[in-house]
Amino acid sequence: MLYYYATAITIIMVKKRKKRQKEKRYFMRFPKEFYWGTSMSAHQVEGQNIFNDWWEWEQRGKILNRQVSGDACKHYDMYREDFKMMKSMHHSMHRLSIEWSRIEQTEGQFNTSEINHYRKVLKELKKQGITPMVTLFHFTLPHWFAKQGAFLHPDGRKKFIRYVRRVVQELGDLVDYWVTINEPYVYTNFGYWEGLWPPGKHSLFKFRKVLKELLHTHIDAYQTIKKVYKENDWTAPEVGFAKSFVWFDPQKKNSIMSRAVSVMYQYLYNKLFFRPFYTGRYPLLFGFGKLHDAKKSLDFVGMNYYFRCACHFSAFKSPLHMRLRTNTSVERTLFNWEVFPKGLYRLLKITYRKIKKPIFITENGISTLDDTQRISYIVRHLEAIHRAMREGVDVRGYLYWSFIDNFEWAEGYTQPFGLVGMNHRTFERIPKPSSQVYAAICKTGKITDSIIDKYAKGIKDRILK
Ligand code: BGC
């Protein structure tokens, strides 16, 4: 009798333990000092950025459905409300960008009232206990600068650095983290190769030239920022750039050509711009020779990661063809991007192995009308980050793209990336359920079953994919 009794108790206990273990699947704790927040860029949210090249591009009917950014999210006027909301969601960092075309509307004339506006913005963030990370160039340029040829102008870099110096002098006491350039490869690719963004060029020669120029621009900006802090006796800031990373796989595993194209893209997209910062040499496409300064010009890596791409070789189309997966069995976003969290894990591992510098996830997000998909996307990407961290990768923070649905460049207002939605008539902010799940994660620094159960019951199976 006693034997049966003991066996029954053992079985019950084993079952309970198994159940507990299963439930424990969601227990991820991030370090206390880990930064949580969101990313945005000036033109996409501020509204009425009438002095830049994008505004002009929009007036020419270049955006999907001939949309224009117009008032965007009116963040220029509503930043206080937005930051309060971020605070209520327990965010500890926010990445924003300074709109150069507001500060220097006419060449050489710096606008003090616009500089003061950004001082107020940064002060407000600090008041809410949120650390700012400030980007100096996020795709938009003053109209006068673009008209002169932007970074192709022989003095383009000098002009940009003049703006950097001024901004850092005026705002540096309020900023600890600077991002010099957002996604140099994406900017050059769309603007100078594919021609989908201003200035709408299709030239491989210009593409290469601008990209190389941006490499030098980052190095000069890095040194300028450090110098200004030294001159003012401020504590040295952390300076990096935000780089877009994509995971590439061959479309057909058995095809040597597909594989070759995917390896080539891994190099072109993920490594080309980045290599000098750990090798101290020019990358292949930019020529030969040393670039010592690069190794000393990066304090952290800003990693922007969204999706995976399938590559294949086609002798009929462009021989090097890359496309977003069409296979219907893979999970995709409204943008048709393939959701692939493992790509983030792999890129973190590879990147850290090479560069050995702290990494911030400066962008990661999903455009979708299905907010449960967003919750699942965030949790799975955080899982990938956590795994990389457990294996030694030094990740310092996660900034979801984006706080609010905003103006998505060539796609206008058709791609809702936000944790918060917006009524386009009244500009009322409408938090989505995903913002609550994310807030609970930001508050506790943990992802647990109770968080998932409380806010995302019913979609556990989707998260567990
Ligand atoms: C850019 C953002 C953009 C996001 C989503 C990133 O490449 O930095 O400005 O909105 O991707 O497409």
Side-chain angles (χ1 to χ4, degrees):
M1 181 69 184
L2 199 66
Y3 171 75
Y4 288 117
Y5 199 58
T7 317
I9 288 182
T10 316
I11 291 172
I12 292 169
M13 276 170 63
V14 168
K15 272 193 176 164
K16 269 197 174 167
R17 210 175 80 203
K18 273 197 178 155
K19 198 175 157 210
R20 259 206 316 272
Q21 271 172 353
K22 212 169 154 200
E23 281 171 359
K24 278 251 169 84
R25 191 184 182 303
Y26 273 104
F27 191 83
M28 277 175 267
R29 191 200 299 273
F30 287 79
K32 265 215 169 79
E33 55 289 353
F34 194 81
Y35 282 112
W36 297 97
T38 56
S39 253
M40 304 205 290
S41 89
H43 189 73
Q44 293 178 272
V45 295
E46 282 183 348
Q48 296 302 321
N49 273 323
I50 59 175
F51 298 109
N52 70 30
D53 54 346
W54 265 89
W55 185 271
E56 200 253 349
W57 186 253
E58 293 162 23
Q59 311 313 310
R60 286 163 54 192
K62 299 282 193 178
I63 311 300
L64 186 66
N65 308 330
R66 300 184 75 82
Q67 287 182 344
V68 290
S69 56
D71 283 330
C73 308
K74 264 196 189 271
H75 176 72
Y76 187 85
D77 306 306
M78 296 179 68
Y79 66 90
R80 285 190 192 86
E81 288 94 313
D82 289 341
F83 295 163
K84 256 187 214 141
M85 199 177 260
M86 287 176 197
K87 156 110 180 169
S88 75
M89 293 173 179
H90 308 283
H91 297 185
S92 52
M93 182 175 258
H94 177 59
R95 177 173 167 234
L96 68 150
S97 76
I98 305 283
E99 180 60 36
W100 180 9
S101 65
R102 282 186 184 272
I103 305 241
E104 199 178 349
Q105 287 164 17
T106 315
E107 184 174 2
Q109 289 175 25
F110 289 92
N111 186 319
T112 354
S113 79
E114 292 292 358
I115 291 175
N116 283 338
H117 167 79
Y118 285 111
R119 277 200 74 80
K120 282 191 220 145
V121 168
L122 292 169
K123 277 191 176 162
E124 184 63 27
L125 262 182
K126 294 207 139 187
K127 191 175 132 198
Q128 300 298 342
I130 301 173
T131 302
M133 178 181 270
V134 179
T135 307
L136 288 157
F137 166 39
H138 195 126
F139 299 156
T140 55
L141 295 169
H143 196 216
W144 59 263
F145 183 73
K147 249 174 59 194
Q148 292 174 1
F151 292 99
L152 285 173
H153 186 279
D155 289 332
R157 197 195 316 165
K158 255 197 222 149
K159 295 176 193 226
F160 177 72
I161 296 299
R162 180 179 59 192
Y163 145 76
V164 171
R165 175 163 256 289
R166 184 62 187 257
V167 166
V168 176
Q169 255 164 2
E170 301 278 1
L171 309 176
D173 57 323
L174 300 168
V175 182
D176 298 321
Y177 294 92
W178 291 98
V179 170
T180 55
I181 303 172
N182 181 64
E183 300 187 346
Y185 188 96
V186 173
Y187 164 76
T188 340
N189 178 51
F190 284 139
Y192 290 89
W193 189 348
E194 295 195 29
L196 297 169
W197 290 8
K201 305 279 183 232
H202 297 274
S203 157
L204 211 53
F205 170 75
K206 286 185 178 153
F207 164 81
R208 178 190 165 278
K209 200 161 175 206
V210 175
L211 198 57
K212 186 174 175 184
E213 186 55 23
L214 289 181
L215 180 61
H216 289 283
T217 304
H218 166 78
I219 296 171
D220 288 3
Y222 178 98
Q223 286 167 357
T224 306
I225 297 170
K226 293 282 173 159
K227 217 161 135 199
V228 174
Y229 274 67
K230 222 175 182 173
E231 284 162 9
N232 285 284
D233 227 358
W234 296 329
T235 313
E238 304 286 306
V239 184
F241 57 84
K243 158 125 193 47
S244 163
F245 287 85
V246 169
W247 185 257
F248 296 95
D249 268 332
Q251 173 129 332
K252 293 178 199 148
K253 283 232 162 70
N254 303 331
S255 149
I256 294 181
M257 292 313 277
S258 268
R259 277 173 180 269
V261 176
S262 101
V263 169
M264 204 210 67
Y265 266 108
Q266 289 281 16
Y267 176 79
L268 267 183
Y269 199 98
N270 293 329
K271 293 200 184 133
L272 179 74
F273 192 85
F274 194 49
R275 258 177 84 83
F277 296 94
Y278 56 86
T279 60
R281 304 185 69 85
Y282 278 110
L284 216 58
L285 202 75
F286 292 168
F288 299 97
K290 298 203 165 130
L291 190 62
H292 288 306
D293 284 348
K295 269 181 126 175
K296 295 177 274 167
S297 303
L298 196 68
D299 300 328
F300 67 87
V301 178
M303 183 178 272
N304 296 355
Y305 175 81
Y306 289 88
F307 59 88
R308 156 161 88 170
C309 249
C311 307
H312 72 114
F313 180 83
S314 154
F316 303 108
K317 284 189 192 168
S318 137
L320 304 171
H321 203 65
M322 167 181 97
R323 69 171 179 201
L324 307 169
R325 238 161 233 266
T326 45
N327 182 348
T328 45
S329 67
V330 300
E331 182 190 346
R332 281 179 290 162
T333 75
L334 197 62
F335 226 141
N336 212 17
W337 293 348
E338 184 192 342
V339 178
F340 191 63
K342 209 186 248 176
L344 178 55
Y345 162 77
R346 289 180 185 158
L347 285 162
L348 279 170
K349 292 279 287 187
I350 295 171
T351 307
Y352 190 67
R353 200 181 308 135
K354 297 273 184 216
I355 195 102
K356 291 270 182 309
K357 297 257 160 90
I359 300 176
F360 278 90
I361 305 301
T362 35
E363 287 182 31
N364 172 243
I366 178 169
S367 134
T368 178
L369 296 168
D370 170 4
D371 200 48
T372 54
Q373 193 191 9
R374 187 177 339 274
I375 296 170
S376 155
Y377 182 97
I378 294 174
V379 172
R380 282 181 291 154
H381 281 82
L382 285 173
E383 219 173 354
I385 295 166
H386 194 261
R387 183 174 164 206
M389 288 171 79
R390 276 198 322 265
E391 294 172 19
V393 180
D394 182 6
V395 186
R396 299 280 171 95
Y398 175 82
L399 303 174
Y400 177 79
W401 183 275
S402 183
F403 174 67
I404 189 165
D405 291 344
N406 58 46
F407 180 74
E408 178 53 37
W409 306 115
E411 284 74 23
Y413 290 104
T414 60
Q415 300 294 334
F417 276 93
L419 293 169
V420 175
M422 189 187 75
N423 177 326
H424 283 267
R425 212 171 30 82
T426 61
F427 296 95
E428 184 199 348
R429 276 47 177 154
I430 308 158
K432 302 176 191 174
S434 54
S435 71
Q436 289 186 305
V437 182
Y438 188 52
I441 297 171
C442 298
K443 183 177 178 192
T444 56
K446 292 182 207 158
I447 305 182
T448 58
D449 257 29
S450 60
I451 289 179
I452 305 288
D453 283 344
K454 182 162 175 201
Y455 297 101
K457 219 179 176 121
I459 63 152
K460 219 167 173 174
D461 54 325
R462 295 183 59 179
I463 298 176
L464 280 166
K465 264 186 192 178

